[in-house]
Amino acid sequence: MVVAAPSTPFSLSSAVFRRRRSFRRVSVPRVSATLSPDASPLLRAAHHTVDSYVKSGMVIGLGSGEASDLAIRYLGHQLRSGSVQGVVGVPMSARSASEAAKYGVPLKHFRDDFQIDFAFHDADAVEEDTLVSVIGRRRITQEDDYILRQKSIVEAADEAVFMIKDEQYKSGLEGSIPVLVQSLNWLAIAEEIDDLYLGDAEVWRRASVGDAGPLGGDFPIVTSDGHNILDVIFTTPIPSLANVATSLDNIDGVVDHGLVIKTRCTVVIAGETEVRTVTLQTSAVEGGV
């Protein structure tokens, strides 16, 4: 079983990483923005992600969420200052596209044949040791139609970073896992999932407005691809997210889900006093203190 390397605290100015590819060097020295001591943990995590992973000439998947917004803004600052050059962003949602346009990050729209060098994204939760990540849980800003795009871009990237808070990194995770299903037979699929996790989870169809009950009310979400979203809400600790992913993949009518299993993956954990990184041992990336 693949496990994660131990968490490593770092100094923002001293992290060193080894990469598989070489990217174009620029004549302008790389300068990191100085953060005040009272900067938020997610802001520090966002700056670390950009400073440590983004190189000139990269095609970068631009994630969505609070930390990703901060990373996009900082990336725009670094492009304007000339610290990095020739970077192109591939947005994972309308929100990330808007942030990139606002802060001057050039954009391309995702296609299956794109080579994406690196991607960053907010995760809702990350399983300790395995780094299996959960994305697509409902947030205040609705991005229900982008789960497939977010997952596709992360999986297409040579390397990915998930940015989270301390409390989102643990074993025995609980809470919801979004599952995209064919809308015509969604109820039969929901019943099969419910039988699979009987006593451990509830299955609700996601509504477009508020919480309309398990059936999703009169206005369930229908994505642009015609899918419904089921929230599989685990009320007991999940022993293995990888096993859940395998079980869901084997159900007819399940299109995809919000579980991401990626080998070249690093988690940047924003703590109150420090930012830590955790990387799978199979990854070629190494971090220094």
Side-chain angles (χ1 to χ4, degrees), residues 233-254:
I233 307 167
F234 285 86
T235 55
T236 61
I238 304 170
S240 168
L241 288 181
N243 289 345
V244 172
T246 299
S247 298
L248 292 173
D249 288 337
N250 289 331
I251 295 176
D252 289 338
V254 169

PDB file of all heavy atoms in Angstrom, residues 233-254:
ATOM      1  N   ILE A 233     -23.633  10.545   2.468  1.00  0.00           N
ATOM      2  CA  ILE A 233     -23.241  11.193   3.721  1.00  0.00           C
ATOM      3  C   ILE A 233     -22.913  10.111   4.749  1.00  0.00           C
ATOM      4  O   ILE A 233     -23.809   9.456   5.296  1.00  0.00           O
ATOM      5  CB  ILE A 233     -24.362  12.103   4.238  1.00  0.00           C
ATOM      6  CG1 ILE A 233     -24.787  13.091   3.137  1.00  0.00           C
ATOM      7  CG2 ILE A 233     -23.911  12.856   5.484  1.00  0.00           C
ATOM      8  CD1 ILE A 233     -26.094  13.810   3.430  1.00  0.00           C
ATOM      9  N   PHE A 234     -21.625   9.929   5.007  1.00  0.00           N
ATOM     10  CA  PHE A 234     -21.183   8.909   5.952  1.00  0.00           C
ATOM     11  C   PHE A 234     -21.308   9.451   7.378  1.00  0.00           C
ATOM     12  O   PHE A 234     -20.788  10.521   7.701  1.00  0.00           O
ATOM     13  CB  PHE A 234     -19.743   8.499   5.662  1.00  0.00           C
ATOM     14  CG  PHE A 234     -19.611   7.610   4.459  1.00  0.00           C
ATOM     15  CD1 PHE A 234     -19.503   8.161   3.187  1.00  0.00           C
ATOM     16  CD2 PHE A 234     -19.613   6.236   4.591  1.00  0.00           C
ATOM     17  CE1 PHE A 234     -19.389   7.344   2.074  1.00  0.00           C
ATOM     18  CE2 PHE A 234     -19.496   5.414   3.490  1.00  0.00           C
ATOM     19  CZ  PHE A 234     -19.393   5.966   2.222  1.00  0.00           C
ATOM     20  N   THR A 235     -21.977   8.678   8.218  1.00  0.00           N
ATOM     21  CA  THR A 235     -22.192   9.072   9.610  1.00  0.00           C
ATOM     22  C   THR A 235     -21.269   8.324  10.559  1.00  0.00           C
ATOM     23  O   THR A 235     -21.276   8.578  11.767  1.00  0.00           O
ATOM     24  CB  THR A 235     -23.648   8.808  10.007  1.00  0.00           C
ATOM     25  OG1 THR A 235     -23.972   7.439   9.740  1.00  0.00           O
ATOM     26  CG2 THR A 235     -24.584   9.708   9.201  1.00  0.00           C
ATOM     27  N   THR A 236     -20.471   7.407  10.026  1.00  0.00           N
ATOM     28  CA  THR A 236     -19.455   6.697  10.802  1.00  0.00           C
ATOM     29  C   THR A 236     -18.123   6.843  10.084  1.00  0.00           C
ATOM     30  O   THR A 236     -18.085   7.094   8.868  1.00  0.00           O
ATOM     31  CB  THR A 236     -19.793   5.201  10.956  1.00  0.00           C
ATOM     32  OG1 THR A 236     -19.857   4.594   9.644  1.00  0.00           O
ATOM     33  CG2 THR A 236     -21.129   5.017  11.663  1.00  0.00           C
ATOM     34  N   PRO A 237     -16.993   6.722  10.790  1.00  0.00           N
ATOM     35  CA  PRO A 237     -15.685   6.874  10.137  1.00  0.00           C
ATOM     36  C   PRO A 237     -15.511   5.893   8.979  1.00  0.00           C
ATOM     37  O   PRO A 237     -15.877   4.717   9.082  1.00  0.00           O
ATOM     38  CB  PRO A 237     -14.689   6.596  11.266  1.00  0.00           C
ATOM     39  CG  PRO A 237     -15.434   6.929  12.511  1.00  0.00           C
ATOM     40  CD  PRO A 237     -16.856   6.543  12.250  1.00  0.00           C
ATOM     41  N   ILE A 238     -14.938   6.384   7.889  1.00  0.00           N
ATOM     42  CA  ILE A 238     -14.715   5.559   6.693  1.00  0.00           C
ATOM     43  C   ILE A 238     -13.354   4.873   6.828  1.00  0.00           C
ATOM     44  O   ILE A 238     -12.325   5.550   6.905  1.00  0.00           O
ATOM     45  CB  ILE A 238     -14.730   6.429   5.425  1.00  0.00           C
ATOM     46  CG1 ILE A 238     -16.040   7.216   5.335  1.00  0.00           C
ATOM     47  CG2 ILE A 238     -14.539   5.571   4.182  1.00  0.00           C
ATOM     48  CD1 ILE A 238     -16.037   8.279   4.254  1.00  0.00           C
ATOM     49  N   PRO A 239     -13.314   3.532   6.847  1.00  0.00           N
ATOM     50  CA  PRO A 239     -12.026   2.843   7.008  1.00  0.00           C
ATOM     51  C   PRO A 239     -11.059   3.094   5.858  1.00  0.00           C
ATOM     52  O   PRO A 239      -9.856   3.195   6.057  1.00  0.00           O
ATOM     53  CB  PRO A 239     -12.420   1.359   7.088  1.00  0.00           C
ATOM     54  CG  PRO A 239     -13.872   1.349   7.434  1.00  0.00           C
ATOM     55  CD  PRO A 239     -14.445   2.586   6.834  1.00  0.00           C
ATOM     56  N   SER A 240     -11.582   3.195   4.626  1.00  0.00           N
ATOM     57  CA  SER A 240     -10.714   3.350   3.460  1.00  0.00           C
ATOM     58  C   SER A 240     -11.465   4.069   2.343  1.00  0.00           C
ATOM     59  O   SER A 240     -12.437   3.533   1.798  1.00  0.00           O
ATOM     60  CB  SER A 240     -10.228   1.985   2.951  1.00  0.00           C
ATOM     61  OG  SER A 240      -9.619   2.100   1.677  1.00  0.00           O
ATOM     62  N   LEU A 241     -10.996   5.262   1.975  1.00  0.00           N
ATOM     63  CA  LEU A 241     -11.605   5.977   0.863  1.00  0.00           C
ATOM     64  C   LEU A 241     -11.346   5.266  -0.464  1.00  0.00           C
ATOM     65  O   LEU A 241     -12.185   5.310  -1.367  1.00  0.00           O
ATOM     66  CB  LEU A 241     -11.068   7.410   0.802  1.00  0.00           C
ATOM     67  CG  LEU A 241     -11.538   8.372   1.887  1.00  0.00           C
ATOM     68  CD1 LEU A 241     -10.937   9.753   1.658  1.00  0.00           C
ATOM     69  CD2 LEU A 241     -13.062   8.466   1.933  1.00  0.00           C
ATOM     70  N   ALA A 242     -10.202   4.609  -0.585  1.00  0.00           N
ATOM     71  CA  ALA A 242      -9.897   3.884  -1.825  1.00  0.00           C
ATOM     72  C   ALA A 242     -10.916   2.768  -2.052  1.00  0.00           C
ATOM     73  O   ALA A 242     -11.350   2.533  -3.187  1.00  0.00           O
ATOM     74  CB  ALA A 242      -8.485   3.320  -1.769  1.00  0.00           C
ATOM     75  N   ASN A 243     -11.299   2.076  -0.983  1.00  0.00           N
ATOM     76  CA  ASN A 243     -12.302   1.021  -1.117  1.00  0.00           C
ATOM     77  C   ASN A 243     -13.655   1.594  -1.516  1.00  0.00           C
ATOM     78  O   ASN A 243     -14.396   0.990  -2.299  1.00  0.00           O
ATOM     79  CB  ASN A 243     -12.417   0.236   0.187  1.00  0.00           C
ATOM     80  CG  ASN A 243     -11.211  -0.644   0.450  1.00  0.00           C
ATOM     81  OD1 ASN A 243     -10.399  -0.892  -0.434  1.00  0.00           O
ATOM     82  ND2 ASN A 243     -11.070  -1.102   1.685  1.00  0.00           N
ATOM     83  N   VAL A 244     -13.994   2.760  -0.967  1.00  0.00           N
ATOM     84  CA  VAL A 244     -15.242   3.414  -1.349  1.00  0.00           C
ATOM     85  C   VAL A 244     -15.215   3.771  -2.833  1.00  0.00           C
ATOM     86  O   VAL A 244     -16.190   3.548  -3.564  1.00  0.00           O
ATOM     87  CB  VAL A 244     -15.484   4.674  -0.494  1.00  0.00           C
ATOM     88  CG1 VAL A 244     -16.682   5.461  -1.019  1.00  0.00           C
ATOM     89  CG2 VAL A 244     -15.704   4.288   0.958  1.00  0.00           C
ATOM     90  N   ALA A 245     -14.084   4.306  -3.306  1.00  0.00           N
ATOM     91  CA  ALA A 245     -13.962   4.664  -4.718  1.00  0.00           C
ATOM     92  C   ALA A 245     -14.150   3.445  -5.611  1.00  0.00           C
ATOM     93  O   ALA A 245     -14.856   3.504  -6.631  1.00  0.00           O
ATOM     94  CB  ALA A 245     -12.599   5.312  -4.975  1.00  0.00           C
ATOM     95  N   THR A 246     -13.530   2.329  -5.238  1.00  0.00           N
ATOM     96  CA  THR A 246     -13.660   1.104  -6.036  1.00  0.00           C
ATOM     97  C   THR A 246     -15.101   0.624  -6.074  1.00  0.00           C
ATOM     98  O   THR A 246     -15.630   0.240  -7.131  1.00  0.00           O
ATOM     99  CB  THR A 246     -12.756   0.000  -5.466  1.00  0.00           C
ATOM    100  OG1 THR A 246     -11.394   0.438  -5.518  1.00  0.00           O
ATOM    101  CG2 THR A 246     -12.888  -1.291  -6.258  1.00  0.00           C
ATOM    102  N   SER A 247     -15.768   0.657  -4.920  1.00  0.00           N
ATOM    103  CA  SER A 247     -17.165   0.213  -4.850  1.00  0.00           C
ATOM    104  C   SER A 247     -18.069   1.080  -5.714  1.00  0.00           C
ATOM    105  O   SER A 247     -18.934   0.569  -6.443  1.00  0.00           O
ATOM    106  CB  SER A 247     -17.651   0.241  -3.400  1.00  0.00           C
ATOM    107  OG  SER A 247     -16.905  -0.630  -2.586  1.00  0.00           O
ATOM    108  N   LEU A 248     -17.866   2.392  -5.668  1.00  0.00           N
ATOM    109  CA  LEU A 248     -18.691   3.298  -6.467  1.00  0.00           C
ATOM    110  C   LEU A 248     -18.424   3.106  -7.963  1.00  0.00           C
ATOM    111  O   LEU A 248     -19.354   3.163  -8.784  1.00  0.00           O
ATOM    112  CB  LEU A 248     -18.426   4.743  -6.065  1.00  0.00           C
ATOM    113  CG  LEU A 248     -18.898   5.145  -4.661  1.00  0.00           C
ATOM    114  CD1 LEU A 248     -18.419   6.557  -4.327  1.00  0.00           C
ATOM    115  CD2 LEU A 248     -20.415   5.068  -4.534  1.00  0.00           C
ATOM    116  N   ASP A 249     -17.169   2.895  -8.327  1.00  0.00           N
ATOM    117  CA  ASP A 249     -16.821   2.702  -9.738  1.00  0.00           C
ATOM    118  C   ASP A 249     -17.496   1.470 -10.328  1.00  0.00           C
ATOM    119  O   ASP A 249     -17.706   1.391 -11.550  1.00  0.00           O
ATOM    120  CB  ASP A 249     -15.303   2.565  -9.893  1.00  0.00           C
ATOM    121  CG  ASP A 249     -14.563   3.876  -9.678  1.00  0.00           C
ATOM    122  OD1 ASP A 249     -15.195   4.939  -9.845  1.00  0.00           O
ATOM    123  OD2 ASP A 249     -13.368   3.836  -9.335  1.00  0.00           O
ATOM    124  N   ASN A 250     -17.827   0.506  -9.490  1.00  0.00           N
ATOM    125  CA  ASN A 250     -18.406  -0.751  -9.970  1.00  0.00           C
ATOM    126  C   ASN A 250     -19.929  -0.731 -10.054  1.00  0.00           C
ATOM    127  O   ASN A 250     -20.546  -1.734 -10.416  1.00  0.00           O
ATOM    128  CB  ASN A 250     -17.973  -1.906  -9.054  1.00  0.00           C
ATOM    129  CG  ASN A 250     -16.503  -2.252  -9.209  1.00  0.00           C
ATOM    130  OD1 ASN A 250     -15.925  -2.067 -10.281  1.00  0.00           O
ATOM    131  ND2 ASN A 250     -15.887  -2.741  -8.147  1.00  0.00           N
ATOM    132  N   ILE A 251     -20.545   0.392  -9.749  1.00  0.00           N
ATOM    133  CA  ILE A 251     -22.005   0.499  -9.800  1.00  0.00           C
ATOM    134  C   ILE A 251     -22.428   1.065 -11.153  1.00  0.00           C
ATOM    135  O   ILE A 251     -21.983   2.137 -11.564  1.00  0.00           O
ATOM    136  CB  ILE A 251     -22.522   1.395  -8.655  1.00  0.00           C
ATOM    137  CG1 ILE A 251     -22.226   0.745  -7.298  1.00  0.00           C
ATOM    138  CG2 ILE A 251     -24.020   1.645  -8.811  1.00  0.00           C
ATOM    139  CD1 ILE A 251     -22.619   1.601  -6.108  1.00  0.00           C
ATOM    140  N   ASP A 252     -23.275   0.355 -11.863  1.00  0.00           N
ATOM    141  CA  ASP A 252     -23.791   0.834 -13.147  1.00  0.00           C
ATOM    142  C   ASP A 252     -24.569   2.124 -12.946  1.00  0.00           C
ATOM    143  O   ASP A 252     -25.405   2.225 -12.028  1.00  0.00           O
ATOM    144  CB  ASP A 252     -24.709  -0.216 -13.781  1.00  0.00           C
ATOM    145  CG  ASP A 252     -23.946  -1.425 -14.296  1.00  0.00           C
ATOM    146  OD1 ASP A 252     -22.735  -1.293 -14.544  1.00  0.00           O
ATOM    147  OD2 ASP A 252     -24.572  -2.501 -14.438  1.00  0.00           O
ATOM    148  N   GLY A 253     -24.291   3.093 -13.794  1.00  0.00           N
ATOM    149  CA  GLY A 253     -24.981   4.371 -13.711  1.00  0.00           C
ATOM    150  C   GLY A 253     -24.224   5.437 -12.955  1.00  0.00           C
ATOM    151  O   GLY A 253     -24.591   6.611 -13.027  1.00  0.00           O
ATOM    152  N   VAL A 254     -23.173   5.047 -12.226  1.00  0.00           N
ATOM    153  CA  VAL A 254     -22.309   6.038 -11.587  1.00  0.00           C
ATOM    154  C   VAL A 254     -21.346   6.585 -12.639  1.00  0.00           C
ATOM    155  O   VAL A 254     -20.586   5.823 -13.247  1.00  0.00           O
ATOM    156  CB  VAL A 254     -21.529   5.438 -10.398  1.00  0.00           C
ATOM    157  CG1 VAL A 254     -20.436   6.400  -9.929  1.00  0.00           C
ATOM    158  CG2 VAL A 254     -22.481   5.135  -9.245  1.00  0.00           C
TER     159      VAL A 254
END
